[in-house]
Amino acid sequence: MKISELYEKKKRSLSFEIFPPKKDSELKNIDATLEVLCELKPDFISVTFGAGGSSNYNRTIELARKIKYEYHVEPVVHLTCLSYDRAEIDSFIEVLNSEGIQNVLALRGDRNPKLPEKDDFRHASDLISYLKQNGDFCIAGACYAECHPESENRVSEMKYLKRKVDAGAQLLLSQLFFDNEKFFHFVDDCRIAGIDVPVIPGIMPVINAAQIRRMVTMCGASFPERFQKIIHKYEDNREALFDAGMSYALSQIIDLLVNDIDGIHLYTMNNPVVAGKICEGIRNII
């Protein structure tokens, strides 16, 4: 099923993101995580992409196949393009088609000095356009509630985001953020810019202070004062930080749902306990 059908039916989605384990031995152990996540009945699960692997040996595709055929949940495969040429992307398209995987999150990918950049796809919009021309996929694009770290300003951000949608992106999944007002303003700006596809907020519960600081540095999300107080007060108390972080994320999600957003995309960090507690807290309101 193409996940765009969810929004055509005006359904509000619940989805998770997971990442493939780095070792083959760990890939076998991910079933315990998937069993818990899939029992929560998400509309889809997105699987992050490790650049540099070939289509014939790619844990993202292997994990997506498992999600679709063993757990009967729609996978969304992340696909980056900055370090691939057309022939390599064609190979990925062939494998996705052969596996019956219909949903792709098309990304430029982070710059990595260890991986040479190629010239065929310089932007995510280039990949989106190519996928649209050479396959029958539902294509999602990424967005940043507080602007991509490389953006000059919000006007430039909207210009490039509109280019993604015009190229064929049918929904947008946001990077993590901790201030809902910034997300609401972002969606307003999208609508003013003529971006009318569903915009799904991405939420990451704070359960590890060092990890969250690293993620915030990478994606440019701001720290609201209330959020800072949680980190400062509980960063040396693992259990207290977990409880406070989960409460903060749950309050974010409830506020988003009350304001009629299109869905919730939860960054699980492969922690099924996190997903389970969030779903328990919103069971009757999503």
Side-chain angles (χ1 to χ4, degrees), residues 103-122:
N103 304 291
V104 178
L105 175 57
L107 306 161
R108 185 199 69 179
D110 296 328
R111 290 193 160 91
N112 185 339
K114 296 180 181 180
L115 292 174
E117 297 179 13
K118 299 184 179 179
D119 294 325
D120 289 353
F121 304 97
R122 303 302 299 176

Side-chain angles (χ1 to χ4, degrees), residues 39-86:
E39 284 177 1
L40 298 171
K41 302 187 184 307
D43 293 292
F44 60 91
I45 296 177
S46 73
V47 187
T48 64
F49 187 82
S54 71
S55 60
N56 293 323
Y57 185 70
N58 189 280
R59 291 189 178 93
T60 297
I61 293 173
E62 185 176 349
L63 186 50
R65 184 194 302 122
K66 178 185 284 286
I67 291 167
K68 184 175 180 70
Y69 294 109
E70 294 184 26
Y71 293 93
H72 309 292
V73 173
E74 284 301 320
V76 175
V77 168
H78 293 213
L79 181 59
T80 65
C81 62
L82 194 58
S83 59
Y84 293 104
D85 58 28
R86 282 187 177 83

Side-chain angles (χ1 to χ4, degrees), residues 1 28 30 95 99 143 152 176 267:
M1 183 191 79
K28 297 176 183 178
I30 202 166
V95 171
E99 296 293 345
C143 62
E152 297 177 13
L176 63 89
Y267 294 101

Side-chain angles (χ1 to χ4, degrees), residues 180-181 184 250-261:
N180 284 4
E181 287 305 312
F184 295 141
L250 193 56
S251 68
Q252 258 195 288
I253 291 171
I254 291 172
D255 182 46
L256 290 163
L257 293 173
V258 166
N259 283 277
D260 296 326
I261 46 76

